[in-house]
Amino acid sequence: MKTFALIGAAGFIAPRHLKAIKETGNRLVTAFDKFDSVGVMDSFFPEADFFTEFERFDRHVDKKRREGDPIQYVSICSPNYLHDAHIRFGLRSGADVICEKPLVLNPWNIDGLAEMEKETGKRVNNILQLRLHPSIVALKNRIANSPADKVYDVDLAYITSRGKWYNISWKGDTTKSGGVATNIGVHFFDMLTWIFGKVKKNVVHVREENTAAGFLELERANVRWFLSTEYESLPEAVKLAGKRTYRSLQMEGEEIEFSDGFTDLHTRSYEHILSGSGFGLLEAYPSIEIVHHIRNANLTHPSSDYHPLVKYRQNGLVVK
């Protein structure tokens, strides 16, 4: 049985980590969040110590280390911009780390963490659960077994409509979340490069507060992508069905279905990590490079290769 600490216990994603720790037969010893709405812990680890001040949490973890009962894993579910600092805390505390997406906001942060891995002898693991999704694994195998010179046409869309709270929270602050492409898109960019290879070209057509879109030329695919947290971006058929989320991956006009099971892969991720086969810094690098470029690149007029959901307004003209 491994001992865990959890940072970000009041966050949206924390229950999946609590469940994964429980289902893999391990124990949460202590948790931290500056917010105290963490009643969900009662369903998993009611005996775990809890702190709302990081200094006291730090002291507690250090005390356990000095007493010969160190925390073995630190799981991180904090806001994106805090991941780097919290990963460093975990490594300095003598623990391996499990961190939610995006691992960090900038590629050079990964370089710094690689140095800390060498210094501490501990490992950073990133939750990249789409790599474990059966439909995505099957697609990767299908591409790997196709003619090596075949380049696919792919359309990716992910719209997860959010309420007014979203832009008021840290998620709506680009300096904290990295923007919509980083906050909700990084898993998909990881998936695409894992399946279709390295980036040859990265073009950004739209970069707004709640919507981003562009074009990726990969080794084995030309990808038109669209991401949004706006309800109005949903296709009409989705709205009429009373749904608020739309997820679509089309390859050569064929819909690749992977909606089911998308949120149930954290336990499998933990199983892989605990067996020593988790996804580390090297695997995280390509998607972090992609979203960093999207965040900083000059916009390109979407005259071609733009996703069908893109609506570009200029001088009263709407291109659909």
Side-chain angles (χ1 to χ4, degrees):
M1 179 180 289
K2 302 294 184 182
T3 55
F4 279 75
L6 178 70
I7 299 177
F12 169 78
I13 206 69
R16 297 184 198 173
H17 287 260
L18 292 168
K19 181 171 179 282
I21 295 169
K22 187 81 168 181
E23 290 183 343
T24 53
N26 297 294
R27 182 165 63 101
L28 181 72
V29 174
T30 184
F32 161 77
D33 202 300
K34 68 177 184 177
F35 301 104
D36 58 10
S37 297
V38 293
V40 66
M41 289 176 58
D42 287 348
S43 299
F44 299 97
F45 301 100
E47 300 301 319
D49 292 308
F50 174 69
F51 299 89
T52 58
E53 297 174 11
F54 190 82
E55 293 80 3
R56 295 183 64 199
F57 171 73
D58 181 5
R59 185 170 62 209
H60 180 72
V61 170
D62 185 60
K63 180 182 178 182
K64 293 187 69 63
R65 180 187 61 79
R66 288 185 283 105
E67 291 177 343
D69 184 25
I71 299 296
Q72 294 168 289
Y73 282 88
V74 174
S75 294
I76 298 170
C77 310
S78 52
N80 300 350
Y81 71 107
L82 297 175
H83 286 180
D84 184 45
H86 289 159
I87 292 170
R88 292 170 184 274
F89 164 80
L91 295 174
R92 284 195 303 268
S93 300
D96 291 310
V97 173
I98 300 173
C99 186
E100 262 300 335
K101 62 83 183 172
L103 186 69
V104 289
L105 294 182
N106 306 299
W108 56 85
N109 300 142
I110 296 179
D111 298 331
L113 293 176
E115 292 182 12
M116 285 201 68
E117 278 191 330
K118 293 178 182 178
E119 293 169 3
T120 62
K122 297 301 179 179
R123 177 178 169 83
V124 180
N125 302 276
N126 198 192
I127 296 292
L128 300 173
Q129 75 264 38
L130 281 183
R131 295 190 182 203
L132 303 177
H133 194 294
S135 297
I136 301 304
V137 173
L139 178 60
K140 179 177 173 61
N141 292 334
R142 174 178 166 184
I143 301 304
N145 292 322
S146 66
D149 59 348
K150 169 65 176 175
V151 177
Y152 294 85
D153 291 322
V154 175
D155 283 350
L156 171 72
Y158 180 48
I159 304 169
T160 176
S161 51
R162 296 288 187 258
K164 293 182 179 180
W165 66 268
Y166 185 90
N167 290 340
I168 302 300
S169 75
W170 65 266
K171 296 174 186 289
D173 184 341
T174 299
T175 64
K176 294 181 177 181
S177 70
V180 67
T182 304
N183 200 42
I184 71 169
V186 69
H187 268 330
F188 298 103
F189 294 123
D190 172 75
M191 173 193 72
L192 290 168
T193 55
W194 185 58
I195 295 173
F196 297 107
K198 296 179 181 178
V199 177
K200 299 172 69 176
K201 188 177 182 180
N202 186 349
V203 177
V204 184
H205 294 141
V206 178
R207 185 179 57 237
E208 299 172 351
E209 187 175 37
N210 297 102
T211 301
F215 171 79
L216 280 174
E217 181 183 353
L218 306 177
E219 291 177 309
R220 300 291 308 275
N222 294 317
V223 182
R224 303 184 301 181
W225 58 270
F226 182 92
L227 304 166
S228 182
T229 59
E230 288 186 339
Y231 177 79
E232 291 305 318
S233 295
L234 289 167
E236 288 302 318
V238 176
K239 294 178 186 176
L240 291 173
K243 298 180 180 179
R244 295 183 61 85
T245 298
Y246 174 70
R247 187 184 294 115
S248 174
L249 176 65
Q250 293 189 10
M251 185 177 73
E252 310 277 293
E254 172 193 353
E255 186 73 30
I256 307 299
E257 178 55 49
F258 66 106
S259 295
D260 293 337
F262 181 77
T263 61
D264 300 324
L265 293 170
H266 277 71
T267 297
R268 287 197 59 199
S269 296
Y270 269 66
E271 290 170 348
H272 277 249
I273 290 166
L274 291 165
S275 69
S277 56
F279 303 118
L281 298 178
L282 187 63
E283 287 86 356
Y285 213 100
S287 59
I288 298 301
E289 281 190 316
I290 289 173
V291 294
H292 177 266
H293 177 84
I294 291 170
R295 194 159 61 243
N296 294 281
N298 293 326
L299 296 181
T300 299
H301 188 290
S303 58
S304 63
D305 293 326
Y306 59 87
H307 193 278
L309 290 176
V310 168
K311 298 177 181 179
Y312 185 74
R313 294 172 173 84
Q314 184 175 12
N315 296 326
L317 176 66
V318 178
V319 179
K320 293 187 179 180

